[in-house]
Amino acid sequence: MNQTKRQAIFDRLAAAIPEPTTELTYSSPFELLIAVVLSAQATDKGVNKATAQLFPIANTPESILNLGEAGLKEHIKTIGLFNSKAANIIQLCRQVLEKHNGQVPQTRDELEALPGVGRKTANVILNTAFGYPTIAVDTHIFRVANRTRIAPGKNVLEVERKLDKYVPKAHKKDAHHLLILHGRYTCTARKPKCQDCIIADLCEFKEKSV
């Protein structure tokens, strides 16, 4: 995969998805942080359903702490791993209040120090809430990067580093969501829709169905 081809791929994806963004529903960096923590091994649709009930009642560190762990669990019990997520979120809220004056921090190290927040979640927050050109490699991005050969790698960190190196600068801020949406709706896991794919002629997937 050469850089000319990568440029063309991102140009086409950007033209097809002019305003790429997360499908999680949120109205503040803190709401996004909670939604992303809840989204681990869960669907955005399932998270949105739960937060539609939670956020009108509690959408700040203080109000979630006032709910308590048991109260929080009642609102998120439809989401997988809700017990451990509730425990992490309560600790996270306490830490955001005590160490960051109630504001979501804007550095990777500070975000990763929060309970329940790993590198992927930190990258999502930096990119989506604050506009940094970070790329969080989830299962969709890992698959698309390897399958197309845009940035092949054996693990998520290797793929992230290659994407950081190879994604054209003009597309760096939106690359995260462009690749997720392409993987979610076109370059799907079991049956990629190669016949409908706008980058099929540029993709280097050997088992293309066109």
Side-chain angles (χ1 to χ4, degrees), residues 8-203:
I9 284 172
F10 280 99
D11 286 347
R12 285 191 200 174
L13 290 175
I17 313 169
E19 293 183 13
T21 189
T22 181
E23 293 184 307
L24 290 168
T25 303
Y26 72 100
S27 60
S28 69
F30 180 75
E31 284 190 1
L32 179 64
L33 177 59
I34 298 305
V36 177
V37 170
L38 290 173
S39 72
Q41 297 181 47
T43 65
D44 287 0
K45 191 175 179 181
V47 171
N48 288 339
K49 196 171 179 181
T51 57
Q53 306 301 316
L54 172 66
F55 288 159
I57 297 162
N59 69 341
T60 64
E62 297 95 335
S63 54
I64 288 180
L65 283 175
N66 287 337
L67 276 182
E69 193 172 324
L72 177 58
K73 283 180 185 179
E74 280 301 306
H75 291 283
I76 65 169
K77 62 186 178 183
T78 55
I79 297 173
L81 308 175
F82 73 93
N83 282 312
S84 60
K85 288 175 182 178
N88 280 332
I89 287 170
I90 291 295
Q91 292 178 50
L92 178 154
C93 289
R94 201 166 283 128
Q95 206 162 304
V96 166
L97 282 171
E98 291 172 359
K99 295 188 177 181
H100 306 289
N101 299 313
Q103 301 300 308
V104 177
Q106 294 191 38
T107 71
R108 193 197 311 279
D109 286 347
E110 288 174 315
L111 284 164
E112 285 190 46
L114 297 173
V117 177
R119 186 180 180 88
K120 184 174 76 173
T121 296
N123 278 337
V124 172
I125 301 305
L126 290 171
N127 178 262
T128 308
F130 301 122
Y132 291 97
T134 53
I135 301 172
V137 179
D138 69 349
T139 54
H140 296 300
I141 293 182
F142 187 78
R143 178 176 67 254
V144 172
N146 275 288
R147 188 181 271 169
T148 60
R149 310 302 290 172
I150 291 171
K154 293 174 184 175
N155 55 60
V156 292
L157 191 56
E158 189 178 348
V159 169
E160 182 189 326
R161 284 173 176 160
K162 285 191 177 181
L163 285 169
D164 191 49
K165 180 179 179 181
Y166 293 133
V167 172
K169 191 174 180 180
H171 296 296
K172 190 75 72 76
K173 183 176 172 290
D174 288 333
H176 170 73
H177 291 114
L178 289 173
L179 293 173
I180 281 181
L181 294 169
H182 185 66
R184 188 171 285 167
Y185 297 109
T186 303
C187 196
T188 50
R190 293 184 183 177
K191 287 189 176 180
K193 300 169 186 173
C194 302
Q195 67 280 4
D196 301 322
C197 180
I198 56 168
I199 60 166
D201 58 315
L202 300 168
C203 168

